[in-house]
Each structure stands twice: as structure tokens, then as C-alpha cells.
Amino acid sequence: MKAIYITSSRRHLENHTINRLTALSFSIGILAGAATFFAVGPLSGYFFIWAATIPWAAYFALGANEAAFKGTITCSIFGVVMAWITAFLLINVPSDALLGFPLMAALTVTIAVIVMCIAASIPQLSAIPASVFGYSMTFAYLLQTPDKMTEDVCLASHSAIRSW
């Protein structure tokens, strides 16, 4: 009898897992479709699909639970702030810097990433992958969108944050 019970439990668990996977697949597919609609439709140019799907993937990678949700939001924003600080510093590196711009840029990013990782000792900032994703997404946007990595844009962002 015991073996039948165990087999029965495994079969129930397998069916439950398949049902969860099916439900998850449909919910992710529907959300991906909605995000695509907004990215190429009414919010085109304002809503970037990668800026939605990368934190979304971080949420699942971090465990898809309440702690992952909070960590993803908090650390993604922290990564964006760290990237903004880094961008502001890079914009102000003179072209004739003693070590040259490429080395100064590398040192600036190195220090920012070290600070970002050390900040993970604070429990609210412990999801390092989400921080790195936020940092990387910000630089993807700044470096690949014309006229975005400028002092005017960084200062405007600073003013908007302060007034908020």
C-alpha cells in the first residue's frame, strides 16, 4: 500500500507541476504580448521592451517570490542611480585627461561596480544581479540613443529626481 501511495503522490505532483508550468507559460506569453503591443504601438519610443523584460527575468531568476519582487525593484533602481552617477562622472572627464579617456572610463566604472556590489551588504540592496541589470540597461540606453549621454540630460534627470 505504501508504494502505491508514493506513486500516487508523485503522479499528483507531476500533474500539478505541469499545470503550474502551463499557467506560467500562458501568463508570461500574455504579458509579453501586451508589452510588445505597448512597445511598438501606443508607447513606442517611450516604453522599451528590454527595460521591461530584463527586470522581469531578474524577478524569476531571484526566485519569483515577494522578496524577489522587492529586490528586483529596489536593486534595479539602485543600478540605474549608480549608472546615472557614473555617466555624470564620465561626461565630466576631460578629453585630455592624464590617463586618457578610455582608462579613466574603465576606472570610473570599476569603482562604481565595486561600490554597487559592496552595497549588497545592505539587505535591501542584496540582489546584485538586479543592480547590474539596472546599471547595464541604463548604459545601453545612454550609449545607443543619440544625444542622451550629455550633461544636460544628466542634470535634467537630477533636477527631476530632486523635485519628485
Side-chain angles (χ1 to χ4, degrees):
M1 280 296 238
K2 192 172 189 179
I4 293 171
Y5 176 75
I6 291 171
T7 305
S8 174
S9 292
R10 281 189 190 145
R11 190 168 303 143
H12 174 70
L13 182 60
E14 289 170 6
N15 289 338
H16 180 69
T17 302
I18 291 169
N19 291 337
R20 286 187 64 193
L21 179 59
T22 301
L24 182 62
S25 298
F26 275 95
S27 66
I28 289 174
I30 290 167
L31 288 172
T36 301
F37 171 77
F38 288 114
V40 300
L43 297 178
S44 178
Y46 299 100
F47 178 78
F48 302 103
I49 193 85
W50 52 265
T53 57
I54 292 172
W56 188 9
Y59 164 74
F60 282 102
L62 293 171
N65 55 26
E66 185 178 342
F69 181 74
K70 290 176 182 176
T72 298
I73 291 172
T74 304
C75 291
S76 292
I77 292 169
F78 178 59
V80 169
V81 169
M82 289 300 297
W84 172 78
I85 292 168
T86 304
F88 188 76
L89 292 171
L90 290 176
I91 289 166
N92 289 295
V93 171
S95 59
D96 62 345
L98 179 63
L99 298 175
F101 183 80
L103 187 54
M104 289 299 297
L107 289 172
T108 303
V109 169
T110 298
I111 292 167
V113 172
I114 289 170
V115 168
M116 194 166 52
C117 291
I118 289 172
S121 64
I122 300 168
Q124 294 83 354
L125 301 177
S126 64
I128 294 173
S131 296
V132 172
F133 293 154
Y135 189 88
S136 298
M137 288 186 306
T138 302
F139 270 102
Y141 177 74
L142 290 174
L143 294 174
Q144 296 183 358
T145 308
D147 301 322
K148 292 299 178 191
M149 193 155 157
T150 65
E151 191 168 358
D152 289 342
V153 170
C154 285
L155 289 174
S157 299
H158 179 259
S159 297
I161 291 168
R162 280 189 12 189
S163 66
W164 186 54

